[in-house]
Amino acid sequence: MFHAFLIKYAEIGIKGKNRYLFEDALMKQIRHALREAEGEFEVTKEQGRIYVRAEGEFDFEEAVESLQRVFGIAEICPVVILEDEGYEKLSKDVIAYVDEQYPDKKKTFKVYARRAKKSYPIPSMELAAELGGDILDAFPDMTVDVRKPEILITVEIREKIYLYSQSIPGPGGMPVGTNGKAMLLLSGGIDSPVAGYMIAKRGVKIDAVYFHAPPYTSERAKQKVVDLAKLVARYSGPIHLHVVNFTDIQLYIYEKCPHDELTIIMRRYMMKIAERFAHQDGCLGLITGESIGQVASQTIQSLAATNEVCTMPVFRPVIGFDKQEIVDISVKIGTYETSIQPFEDCCTIFVAKHPVTKPNVNVIKRSELNLQEKIDDMIEEAVNTAETIVVQ
Ligand code: ATP
Ligand code: MG
């Protein structure tokens, strides 16, 4: 029945030049997302509104699901497009529309008409009143409520006539690409994909880095991270995923440093290396899935020790969330099932029985002196040998 969607977006903070950037980024992301839906679509901007028009047959559910992954969309309104064939025909079509969309017909409603084509012979107010009257005649149990109608039936007169009354919620946020770029430390767990999603939702484009430790972590574990990146990319657009071979560095730390400090030291090197890729890719920050107190390496002291090596801001969007709250988001965005597959990531293999929970930065730095001889070369090597996968 539907031919198009009217895309509504929150307009706060997008005045002037920003508005064009916002709209253009939104249209780009809409086109990208709709590639997953069956059908051909045309995305246009007209008089400050964005329309998605289907060219012929399309899968309605798939199109809506795709649009619901586009940050910046506040509401998705399915639209019926009618030819302008006179008032009688329009009235008939509007009644048929109400009949089909609202089976119980006991609703309060209002008709809102807008004449974008000024040559149309009936003024907006008159058109709304006429159509409202016809609906009442056809469905006597419907009532008009001009203040707070349950259904607002909008009729827009353009070259063709646009009819809509429903609104499906979008994901909110801002279009990816309107707020720069950041580097996500993506592991195979539950938290980091959620963290990436949350930052992308604010309009930030993301790339990612994964620390792989073969043979301690399997090919399957890497594949799982690629799969997670794909799921995040459905929202964020393409992600450049850098897969860093971290084995030698891990073994070196294991050999030279106290085992209870291993996780913290390892995490500090992860951040350092991630920053290298961040600079390379033009990112202005790092993103992690850390949450205060979740594990030993995420006590406030551990976070401080990890953070100490970073020169860029580190965004930790789930920092104040309980695990269950993070799980709820991962279920909602569709990463949960993949995250709980049982492949070890590199951290779980080298964890000490009793890791320090209150590391002292000075003590950690002293331990790191044991790495002086080779670590800089090893970091170079890890950066230079990383494999970059473009995840669509
Ligand atoms: P997650 O569920 O995201 O794996 P986690 O609860 O397992 O998190 P940690 O293993 O302590 O927590 O990792 C904290 C954060 O460090 C992760 O959210 C992620 O951003 C980053 N991280 C951990 N391991 C890796 C890895 N192998 N590659 C890339 N980033 C990692
Ligand atoms: Mg993890």
Side-chain angles (χ1 to χ4, degrees):
M1 143 149 246
F2 296 104
H3 309 99
F5 299 95
L6 166 63
I7 304 297
K8 293 189 174 169
Y9 45 89
E11 299 184 29
I12 300 157
I14 52 163
K15 306 246 151 57
K17 184 173 141 244
N18 285 341
R19 182 179 181 114
Y20 291 96
L21 295 176
F22 185 100
E23 288 169 340
D24 290 349
L26 186 56
M27 296 205 313
K28 184 174 160 206
Q29 296 302 325
I30 289 173
R31 290 190 188 103
H32 176 78
L34 283 171
R35 293 196 307 196
E36 278 196 45
E38 173 133 4
E40 292 289 319
F41 302 91
E42 188 197 20
V43 183
T44 56
K45 180 165 73 175
E46 292 158 40
Q47 296 160 348
R49 299 172 142 217
I50 291 174
Y51 290 96
V52 173
R53 282 193 201 75
E55 295 171 352
E57 293 291 302
F58 72 107
D59 188 314
F60 181 81
E61 301 297 328
E62 282 179 12
V64 169
E65 276 173 29
S66 299
L67 292 169
Q68 283 186 307
R69 287 193 297 268
V70 178
F71 297 133
I73 296 183
E75 291 174 49
I76 303 156
C77 304
V79 178
V80 175
I81 302 181
L82 306 166
E83 296 294 332
D84 177 8
E85 295 168 324
Y87 178 80
E88 291 307 316
K89 177 72 169 53
L90 173 61
S91 168
K92 253 196 185 152
D93 286 340
V94 170
I95 287 166
Y97 171 87
V98 173
D99 195 19
E100 183 169 326
Q101 296 300 312
Y102 303 99
D104 79 341
K105 298 187 199 55
K106 279 197 178 143
K107 300 247 186 306
T108 61
F109 77 100
K110 170 185 171 176
V111 177
Y112 171 70
R114 208 168 81 112
R115 209 167 40 145
K117 185 171 87 172
K118 294 297 168 206
S119 64
Y120 193 78
I122 312 172
S124 302
M125 296 291 273
E126 206 175 300
L127 181 63
E130 291 289 329
L131 287 171
D134 291 354
I135 292 170
L136 286 175
D137 288 344
F139 309 117
D141 288 342
M142 300 273 286
T143 44
V144 172
D145 180 345
V146 291
R147 293 237 165 73
K148 261 193 141 187
E150 288 169 281
I151 314 170
L152 177 64
I153 301 167
T154 302
V155 180
E156 269 179 40
I157 310 289
R158 303 168 158 258
E159 273 321 303
K160 296 187 179 183
I161 297 171
Y162 289 50
L163 172 62
Y164 57 89
S165 64
Q166 285 157 358
S167 147
I168 301 164
M174 305 183 80
V176 171
T178 55
N179 263 323
K181 199 167 168 189
M183 181 62 70
L184 170 65
L185 282 87
L186 182 62
S187 68
I190 293 170
D191 309 328
S192 47
V194 169
Y197 165 90
M198 289 177 71
I199 296 298
K201 183 163 186 267
R202 298 308 305 160
V204 179
K205 190 165 165 39
I206 57 181
D207 279 339
V209 50
Y210 163 59
F211 296 92
H212 188 44
Y216 304 98
T217 48
S218 63
E219 243 349 79
R220 300 283 303 274
K222 173 178 154 191
Q223 187 54 46
K224 177 181 167 184
V225 173
V226 173
D227 292 344
L228 285 169
K230 273 188 196 153
L231 293 171
V232 176
R234 298 175 86 199
Y235 300 90
S236 69
I239 294 174
H240 290 231
L241 172 66
H242 306 287
V243 179
V244 176
N245 188 325
F246 203 50
T247 313
D248 291 348
I249 293 177
Q250 269 191 326
L251 289 173
Y252 189 48
I253 301 171
Y254 194 73
E255 181 193 337
K256 299 281 185 188
C257 299
H259 288 183
D260 61 347
E261 295 171 5
L262 193 95
T263 306
I264 286 296
I265 295 174
M266 202 176 75
R267 298 209 30 76
R268 282 162 58 94
Y269 284 104
M270 281 187 183
M271 297 304 249
K272 262 191 196 164
I273 294 171
E275 257 195 7
R276 291 282 299 268
F277 287 102
H279 280 296
Q280 238 175 52
D281 288 5
C283 297
L284 294 177
L286 303 177
I287 307 165
T288 74
E290 291 162 309
S291 154
I292 293 177
Q294 198 188 77
V295 286
S297 59
Q298 295 175 30
T299 62
I300 204 152
Q301 293 84 355
S302 299
L303 288 167
T306 305
N307 201 72
E308 198 257 347
V309 299
C310 301
T311 60
M312 280 186 185
V314 181
F315 305 125
R316 300 177 171 92
V318 301
I319 195 73
F321 283 14
D322 295 344
K323 192 71 188 187
Q324 188 57 47
E325 293 172 301
I326 305 173
V327 165
D328 290 346
I329 300 176
S330 78
V331 169
K332 188 185 89 182
I333 68 176
T335 53
Y336 182 72
E337 288 302 324
T338 305
S339 288
I340 59 172
Q341 286 173 9
F343 311 112
E344 308 260 320
D345 66 25
C346 57
C347 312
T348 44
I349 284 163
F350 289 88
V351 271
K353 278 209 184 68
H354 300 288
V356 280
T357 53
K358 293 182 181 162
N360 174 308
V361 179
N362 295 323
V363 174
I364 297 288
K365 279 180 163 170
R366 214 173 306 133
S367 302
E368 284 178 354
L369 291 177
N370 300 337
L371 304 171
Q372 254 175 346
E373 191 191 336
K374 291 197 206 158
I375 195 71
D376 288 344
D377 290 344
M378 293 177 101
I379 291 175
E380 278 319 302
E381 170 87 7
V383 170
N384 293 333
T385 59
E387 174 196 7
T388 300
I389 303 171
V390 180
V391 178
Q392 303 276 354

